[in-house]
Amino acid sequence: MSRGTLDAIASLPEPVRGRFGEFGGQYVAETLMPAIAELELAWRAARGDAAFWAEVDALLADYVGRPSRLYRARRLSASVGADVWLKREDLNHTGAHKINNCIGQAVLARRMGKRRLIAETGAGQHGVATATVAALFGLPCEIYMGAEDVVRQALNVERMRLLGATVHAVESGTRTLKDAMNEALRDWVTNVGDTFYLIGSVAGPHPYPWMVRDLQSVIGREARAQILEGAGRLPDACVACVGGGSNAGGLFAPFIADAGVQLVGVEAAGEGVATGRHAATLGAGRVGVLHGSKSYVLTRPDGQIAHAHSISAGLDYPGVGPEHAAWKEQGRVRYVARTDDEALAALERLARTEGILCALETAHAIAALDEVAAAVGPTGIIIVGLSGRGDKDMVTVAQRRQT
Amino acid sequence: MSAVREAFARAAGERRAALVAYLTFGDPDPATSIEVVHAAVLAGADVVELGVPFSDPSADGPSIQRAMERALEAGATLAGALDAVAELRRRGVGVPIVLFGYYNPIFVMGAEAFAARARAAGVDAVLTVDLPIDELGELAAPLAAASIGVIPLVAPTSTPERIARVGAFAPPFVYYISLTGVTGARAGAPVDPARVDAIRAASGAPVAVGFGIRTPADAARVAAVADGVVVGSALVERVAAGAPADAPDRVAALVRDLAGALARPA
């Protein structure tokens, strides 16, 4: 199994000199450069080491509960007019895909002898997953979370605290995910000797976008094998939501070489891209530099980072992983956007047709299904990345339904 | 010799370290910040680092974060900072001015366009905290074509191999961050003279030391081993410590005290 993982990982595309095309790089303070170089060396060694993957795979199986199911959603299929299969990352321990990455980075941190974990979080799912692996590995853990997100994701804050993590509410800037990441970077630059920064998405300086995508590629590797087993052929399309882009990157990467598989990333259009209150970084942003990498960024004409907006805290981020920027430029992945209202309607639709309450992030992918179904036709097979469960969003959803 | 090198050489000739004063453009508003910088120069700053506000200053501590938020609230931009440099030059301010900030505003303006505007405004050098030497080339080349230098950063964590690469940029000076942390941090261990000498030898440039230098006593300790002393957060805190109209006086008073503490032991 781990030999198989090693070979599967080795077949995924690699960045060249830290970049995917022109995107990526290491745009960080000099103080962090030696730490990033150390991380890159450690990651290269681990990536090529069957013993590393054996440890990761064992934890993913026994602790996370993998492989996650690929479930054929018959009533949703009938509703959208295509053959829709859901990759059930919501059934993982901690309720989202985030744990896949955290297990891998925690194993790496232990190999590197790091004794303290820090992380940023938006919706709180990555914070919960990080706090979980910190408890599992017996490491102290500090989580940075925008003060606005602390309020709208109070349940996840309580989960992190119960797991033993210290949660810092970040009051600077827009008080959301990007500011949490700034604060985590400040912690790392101050405590760089003993601290491992466990970035939650395919963002940040090289090697993070590459490492996180490889660790999340378990989603796509499993889904590819499962659809070949269950349907006898490759899908016509894969669909996933994109904030920073780790769930989409993990689902898409193993399908990149399958030219016949359409890949569709769904960003948050917030109140509508035309209103300016959105998080459609690839759709409406431009190339810029944020949080260590060159990629698409929501930026104002004067170069200040623009405020992102989404009902979903996990998509409320003005940057996106550099590999997505490269996939967009290559035309390999098509990126679309769905509004808050469309996501809410999709969340209800999935709940009523399949009895599954998904996260608001995930609901953006569901909201793009009609369009993708029209493209692939009634016998077309679509795999949807069901990235997380919706319990954390019930207060937000309930408030919106009352207004 | 570049104006920056001349400033360091002049200070060395006077048996003292050069005082590099960091102030955030636009704090508390663009017009006042120009007055503050002018006052700092009249009070004895040898080199000005003019901070360009950025919405996501991930290498800065609370004092400069707040200054940048105030500046952005008051409408400060990179273009405004360039205009401010031109205004200071019109007023006869001759000391070297280093623009200090983050890369995205420059990248969005376009490195070539920025270089041309910076030259026209009278900028001597540029320091971008999120362009380590590995990425610095994409900005250094267009700046060099406009006869503007880049200031590389060296950190306590920098390896000898990395320090050896700094000289390739022929920097006007090298900024040595004396502790691991963000701006405005508490003073750490004393600065190691051997480390400063090694950076100077490897880069062929004067070495200014910053981070954690808040008082004249701090400055005196660093002046004994470095070619320049950078003070930022302590000055920025003076800007915010009272009525905006009196900010130039408050900053000038601290600059005078700092400038008086930089003599080298004979």
Side-chain angles (χ1 to χ4, degrees), chain B residues 30-111:
Chain B
T32 305
S33 72
I34 292 172
E35 301 299 336
V36 168
V37 171
H38 197 175
V41 171
L42 294 174
D46 297 295
V47 176
V48 169
E49 284 183 352
L50 189 63
V52 179
F54 184 51
S55 51
D56 293 80
S58 56
D60 282 299
S63 296
I64 293 179
Q65 286 176 47
R66 296 292 100 76
M68 288 187 170
E69 286 177 4
R70 289 190 295 269
L72 291 171
E73 191 69 23
T77 59
L78 174 59
L82 292 167
D83 291 344
V85 175
E87 170 62 19
L88 288 161
R89 296 303 185 212
R90 271 193 294 276
R91 293 180 176 200
V93 170
V95 302
I97 299 179
V98 178
L99 281 191
F100 187 115
Y102 293 78
Y103 185 41
N104 196 57
I106 293 172
F107 179 81
V108 169
M109 182 180 280

Side-chain angles (χ1 to χ4, degrees), chain A residues 116-117 127-136 138-143 156-168:
Chain A
R116 174 174 177 266
L117 299 181
V128 167
T130 304
T132 297
V133 297
L136 180 66
L139 296 169
C141 176
E142 299 194 33
I143 304 292
N156 272 342
V157 174
E158 199 50 41
R159 291 168 79 193
M160 287 182 261
R161 289 183 172 145
L162 275 170
L163 289 161
T166 303
V167 181
H168 300 281

Side-chain angles (χ1 to χ4, degrees), chain A residues 1-299:
Chain A
M1 173 66 195
S2 300
R3 185 77 227 174
T5 304
L6 186 72
D7 293 341
I9 292 286
S11 73
L12 297 176
E14 284 187 38
V16 179
R17 286 188 298 281
R19 288 172 188 265
F20 299 98
E22 67 172 295
F23 304 106
Q26 298 180 316
Y27 296 85
V28 297
E30 171 63 20
T31 308
L32 293 178
M33 287 302 295
I36 287 171
E38 178 194 4
L39 178 64
E40 183 178 349
L41 274 177
W43 169 243
R44 279 187 190 283
R47 189 179 192 262
D49 182 355
F52 171 78
W53 292 110
E55 193 174 354
V56 170
D57 285 348
L59 284 165
L60 290 179
D62 300 336
Y63 186 71
V64 176
R66 301 203 72 92
S68 69
R69 299 305 172 108
L70 183 69
Y71 163 71
R72 189 174 200 174
R74 288 186 174 77
R75 278 174 40 80
L76 179 64
S77 293
S79 169
V80 305
D83 189 5
V84 179
W85 299 62
L86 305 176
K87 183 57 177 163
R88 297 291 307 275
E89 295 300 304
D90 60 318
L91 297 180
N92 293 340
H93 179 46
T94 72
H97 71 291
K98 293 290 188 184
I99 191 80
N100 305 327
N101 167 50
C102 290
I103 290 283
Q105 287 198 52
V107 172
L108 185 64
R110 189 160 68 183
R111 282 168 70 105
M112 293 174 71
K114 300 293 182 184
R115 288 192 293 272
R116 174 174 177 266
L117 299 181
I118 61 170
E120 83 295 335
T121 193
Q125 291 302 99
H126 175 57
V128 167
T130 304
T132 297
V133 297
L136 180 66
F137 283 61
L139 296 169
C141 176
E142 299 194 33
I143 304 292
Y144 293 91
M145 188 170 188
E148 184 175 325
D149 294 334
V150 166
V151 172
R152 59 181 171 173
Q153 303 288 344
L155 180 64
N156 272 342
V157 174
E158 199 50 41
R159 291 168 79 193
M160 287 182 261
R161 289 183 172 145
L162 275 170
L163 289 161
T166 303
V167 181
H168 300 281
V170 176
E171 298 283 354
S172 58
T174 57
R175 307 159 88 231
T176 60
L177 177 55
K178 79 177 178 71
D179 309 287
M181 196 151 177
N182 291 331
E183 205 60 33
L185 284 165
R186 292 180 188 118
D187 180 315
W188 197 24
V189 85
T190 305
N191 303 294
V192 64
D194 67 345
T195 295
F196 189 99
Y197 181 13
L198 211 166
I199 293 183
S201 195
V202 288
H206 173 71
Y208 283 103
W210 174 38
M211 174 171 68
V212 176
R213 179 264 273 161
D214 276 356
L215 294 171
Q216 290 292 4
S217 72
V218 67
I219 304 171
R221 286 184 275 123
E222 285 178 2
R224 196 172 182 283
Q226 287 166 325
I227 199 72
L228 288 173
E229 171 78 25
R233 67 176 181 90
L234 287 172
D236 297 285
C238 294
V239 183
C241 62
V242 178
S246 70
N247 126 76
L251 177 61
F252 294 169
F255 289 100
I256 285 290
D258 299 315
V261 180
Q262 294 181 42
L263 302 174
V264 181
V266 187
E267 297 190 296
E271 295 174 9
V273 171
T275 67
R277 288 179 53 75
H278 63 82
T281 307
L282 289 159
R286 50 156 296 161
V287 179
V289 174
L290 177 65
H291 294 151
S293 60
K294 184 178 285 181
S295 183
Y296 275 70
V297 178
L298 292 178
T299 178

